[in-house]
Amino acid sequence: MATLGADATLKAVYRTAYLNPFNGHSYKLIATTRTWAEARADCEAMGGYLVTVTSLEEKNFVTMVLSTQATPSFWYGAFQPQPEVAPSANWQWVTGEPWSYTNWNSGEPTNSAGNEHFLATVSTGGVWNDYPGTTLLGYICEWGWEDSYLPKSSYEGHRYSFIDLSMTWEQADDYAKQLGAKLASVNSAAESEFILSMIAGGTRS
């Protein structure tokens, strides 16, 4: 697992990711085309994993991310262990999360080529298709809250994260609550100095 803030390149990549306020996860769409295995390895090298879409709410968020792209086909983090041949059988997420929510395109999966054991989205609407793993596609990396490159620091037993987004106080308060957190309260000169030093230390993008 990558160390938070240890690699400036990884931090720069993460700063262009999309933060999902419904689950606190972040998503980075990468247009460089790779095989499924290469895409998985690249996401894991950045401390994340190929995206897993496990609910309608998450699908809607990822679809919003996809809508920014002219080319809609991207790898997702699901596969069929070999030697599975039944098109719909034994699909698994790379994270081990339960396989319950699905969003297959009409008539899919088919395993029509006999080697279509990896999941991709095929439209800006976020519907799914099974593809051969050697196909070259873009991909989406996902980070959980604890694994993400959001700057986090600790002070007096509390965790702080500086989020560089412009919003009203009310929006910021709601945003923090959706992440299971709260806006920082400054109760001493020492705490104020800590927060200012965290920002000045390069956590702002």
Side-chain angles (χ1 to χ4, degrees):
M1 193 65 68
T3 301
L4 181 67
D7 189 307
T9 301
L10 296 187
K11 287 184 71 176
V13 167
Y14 185 77
R15 283 170 177 162
T16 60
Y18 295 83
L19 178 63
N20 184 347
F22 296 102
N23 63 8
H25 291 200
S26 295
Y27 304 76
K28 170 69 177 177
L29 190 151
I30 299 174
T32 302
T33 58
R34 290 187 168 91
T35 67
W36 186 90
E38 291 169 343
R40 178 181 185 178
D42 191 49
C43 290
E44 292 177 355
M46 292 188 288
Y49 48 90
L50 267 179
V51 65
T52 63
V53 179
T54 59
S55 70
L56 177 61
E57 292 76 17
E58 189 169 20
K59 187 275 290 186
N60 290 340
F61 182 85
V62 173
T63 299
M64 180 276 294
V65 175
L66 288 169
S67 70
T68 66
Q69 300 297 306
T71 302
S73 296
F74 290 86
W75 286 124
Y76 280 12
F79 65 99
Q80 285 181 302
Q82 298 307 295
E84 187 60 64
V85 294
S88 299
N90 203 24
W91 282 91
Q92 300 178 20
W93 294 114
V94 293
T95 56
E97 294 170 272
W99 182 265
S100 54
Y101 173 79
T102 60
N103 191 38
W104 292 110
N105 199 8
S106 178
E108 297 295 339
T110 61
N111 192 23
S112 59
N115 62 348
E116 298 180 353
H117 304 299
F118 301 89
L119 185 67
T121 183
V122 296
S123 78
T124 53
V127 293
W128 303 352
N129 198 351
D130 53 339
Y131 271 65
T134 53
T135 307
L136 297 177
L137 299 175
Y139 51 103
I140 302 173
C141 297
E142 179 178 355
W143 291 264
W145 171 252
E146 290 301 321
D147 294 327
S148 78
Y149 280 91
L150 281 173
K152 306 183 191 76
S153 300
S154 297
Y155 176 81
E156 296 290 333
H158 295 272
R159 302 280 307 272
Y160 295 77
S161 180
F162 178 68
I163 298 175
D164 193 9
L165 296 173
S166 297
M167 58 186 77
T168 66
W169 186 93
E170 289 79 10
Q171 290 170 331
D173 184 55
D174 183 60
Y175 192 75
K177 289 175 180 176
Q178 291 183 62
L179 294 176
K182 64 180 181 179
L183 291 178
S185 57
V186 181
N187 300 300
S188 68
E191 186 174 14
S192 176
E193 182 178 349
F194 163 78
I195 292 173
L196 291 174
S197 66
M198 182 180 71
I199 296 172
T203 58
R204 177 186 287 273
S205 61

